[in-house]
Structure formats: C-alpha cells, structure tokens
Amino acid sequence: MSAFTVRPLLEGTSLPMLFEASGSSILLSDALPEMRPEIDKHLRTGGGVMFRGFDLDGADAFRAFAGDFGHPLLTYEFGSTPRSQVTKGVYTSTEYPPHQHIPLHNEQAYTRDWPMKIWFYCMQAAPEGGETPIADSRAIFNDVPEAIRQAFVDKGLMYVRNYGNGLDVPWQQVFGTEDKAEVEAYCAKHGITCDWKDDGELRTRQVCQGAARHPVTGEWVWFNQAHLFHVSNLEPEVRESLLDIVEDEEELPRNVLYGDGSPIDDATLETVRDVLKQHTVIFPWQSGDVVMLDNMLTAHARTPFKGPRKVIVAMAEAHGQH
C-alpha cells in the first residue's frame, strides 16, 4: 500500500496539489523517496504541493526534509524583512505585526539571486487568519496588460533602499556584518550600487528583472516586488508622514523605479495588484502541514491573524543572474 494519496487540495485548482499520508505515524522523510517523482511533476506543472498528515518532529526534522531534495539550504542574505534564524538554514516567516497583510510576492524577486525552492512548515496554525495565500506567476504574467508587461520586461526595475534610521531594517542586519568593507564587497559582487551617506547610513540601488523565464520550463513568469517596494504600497497617511520626515522620495526607506530611473506611476501598480488579487488561492493551515513551492512559478503572501502562529521557512537551489 502506498504511504500517500495525491489530489488537489481545493476544488477547481491544482495549486497546491495535496500529498496526504495514507495512515498514521508515517514519517515525512521516509515517504519522500516514493513521493519524489510525483512531487517533481506537480512542481513543474502546478507550481506547489502540500504535505499533510505526516509525522514531522520540529525544526530540525523540517530542515532535514528540505535538505533531502539535494541542495544545501540557503541563508537569508540581503533580506528585505525582519526574520530570525531558528536552526541552520531555517528561519521564522516574516516578523511583521499580526494585523499586517503581506502581499503576494516571490521570495527575493527584488534581487538578481533567488531560491528556486521554498518550504513553509506550519508548526502552529493561528486560531484565526494567518493563511499563506499563493498564486501562479505564469498566469499573472499573462494577465498583466501587455503595455505594462512589456515595460517591465524591456526596462527592468531599479530598487532603491535606505537602511536604518528607525525607518527600515538596519544595514548591519541585512548584510550580517558591522564591516562596511564587507558590505561593499557583497554589493560589488552582486551588481548593487552602494553609497554611504553623511549620517553613516547606507543607500543601495540595484537594477533587476521585471519578469523572467523559468530555467527549466522556459515559461515567462511575473517576477518582481515592485508593488511591495513602490511608495504606493504605503497607506496614504503613512506615505505623507514619511515624506514629511525625509522630504524627498529618494530618501524613502524603499522605493522602485523602472530600470532606466524613470518613475512608475501609482495606477500601473494598482493594475498589477488587481491582477494579483484575481489569481490568489487561499487555503487554511493545519498544524503539521508543509507547503513546498517552486519560487519562480508560485508567489506567496500572508493574511492578518489573531492568536499564536508559528510558520518557519527554508530555501534552497540558488539561481543567480549577476
């Protein structure tokens, strides 16, 4: 008898495909060799799978399971959000306040280097909310209006970040060092322009892709975080307050322009957000669930929640364009 069954988790969509234990006390790692061909197939076609009902005993077992796919787990370098390391190669999910919604995005799509695979392990499901919505990045690419899509493909995007000053993550945390020379070396290696400002804080600029071709399937995917970094992502009162503080949009904690330095208007990003919303798939977590995504084919998000919630994350299979 097989240790698992496979079916769509939700009616009407194969994202994610559910791999469910056929009995009790089946270790997820033990079932992996039998499941692996099916996992690989559904990651290519659908972009994401869920494992439910298997035994998985904590963060170290999760790390071992993710590592069994054959690639070293990645460190969270050049991060844009606060996280904490749980164990080697495993991190908390983004540590934003529970009431905040985190929009759909592909992990580290604001860089030229990103993980191809990402895993989420729900150690404790929130009693209310806290889902991890997902969406097909190929479908998003196809449904973004052609003029917007072509501008993103042709021009790329320039991400501008100003660190620290109590407004964003300190550069010391982002780069994992207090040594400015190490920061400069990292930036030089990864095609990032860095400038030390008079107050000792850091500004970086990096031109990256607005969309990309998947290296295995060859399909175009919507692959950026423009809608998160752009100033229009801020609530109007927050935007006004920040501009009162910094006086110039160049000094905002983060913003995004087209790759040639020209501005992206608010309406363009609102159109993109509408497309993202149309393709959002939401499912409830159960404690013990693991979701595995092809990070280029599938975007992820987080809904607000109440009560305790613990979801941890691992990433692997680096893909770089620098």
Side-chain angles (χ1 to χ4, degrees), residues 136-266:
D136 187 327
S137 300
R138 296 161 292 189
I140 294 166
F141 177 86
N142 290 331
D143 284 355
V144 168
E146 183 177 359
I148 296 175
R149 186 173 64 219
Q150 203 59 50
F152 273 55
V153 170
D154 291 344
K155 296 181 180 181
L157 299 170
M158 180 189 294
Y159 294 93
V160 183
R161 298 179 65 179
N162 289 282
Y163 304 83
N165 283 324
L167 299 177
D168 204 358
V169 184
W171 61 264
Q172 295 89 338
Q173 181 178 338
V174 170
F175 292 93
T177 181
E178 300 272 347
D179 188 337
K180 291 183 177 182
E182 289 185 21
V183 173
E184 292 165 3
Y186 180 94
C187 290
K189 179 180 177 182
H190 294 269
I192 302 168
T193 300
C194 67
D195 299 303
W196 298 104
K197 299 189 288 186
D198 292 342
D199 61 1
E201 294 294 353
L202 175 67
R203 177 186 296 127
T204 61
R205 296 181 180 87
Q206 187 178 33
V207 176
C208 302
Q209 68 293 321
R213 281 191 183 274
H214 193 280
V216 176
T217 72
E219 297 164 291
W220 277 102
V221 298
W222 190 252
F223 199 75
N224 62 76
Q225 290 193 16
H227 60 294
L228 277 84
F229 274 73
H230 194 261
V231 65
S232 63
N233 189 46
L234 300 172
E235 294 293 333
E237 60 273 18
V238 175
R239 181 175 181 171
E240 290 175 13
S241 297
L242 271 176
L243 286 172
D244 284 342
I245 294 170
V246 302
E247 297 181 351
D248 185 337
E249 284 198 359
E250 189 179 43
E251 296 295 332
L252 286 167
R254 57 185 70 183
N255 201 3
V256 63
L257 311 166
Y258 285 117
D260 60 6
S262 58
I264 306 172
D265 62 85
D266 293 7

Side-chain angles (χ1 to χ4, degrees), residues 242-314:
L242 271 176
L243 286 172
D244 284 342
I245 294 170
V246 302
E247 297 181 351
D248 185 337
E249 284 198 359
E250 189 179 43
E251 296 295 332
L252 286 167
R254 57 185 70 183
N255 201 3
V256 63
L257 311 166
Y258 285 117
D260 60 6
S262 58
I264 306 172
D265 62 85
D266 293 7
T268 293
L269 274 304
E270 282 308 309
T271 300
V272 170
R273 293 183 185 103
D274 287 342
V275 175
L276 292 169
K277 189 179 300 182
Q278 293 166 20
H279 288 283
T280 299
V281 174
I282 301 179
F283 56 88
W285 279 118
Q286 293 182 15
S287 296
D289 287 347
V290 174
V291 165
M292 178 181 181
L293 303 178
D294 182 304
N295 182 47
M296 288 191 72
L297 298 181
T298 306
H300 63 274
R302 191 200 73 184
T303 64
F305 63 95
K306 294 181 179 179
R309 176 187 187 268
K310 187 172 185 181
V311 175
I312 58 177
V313 180

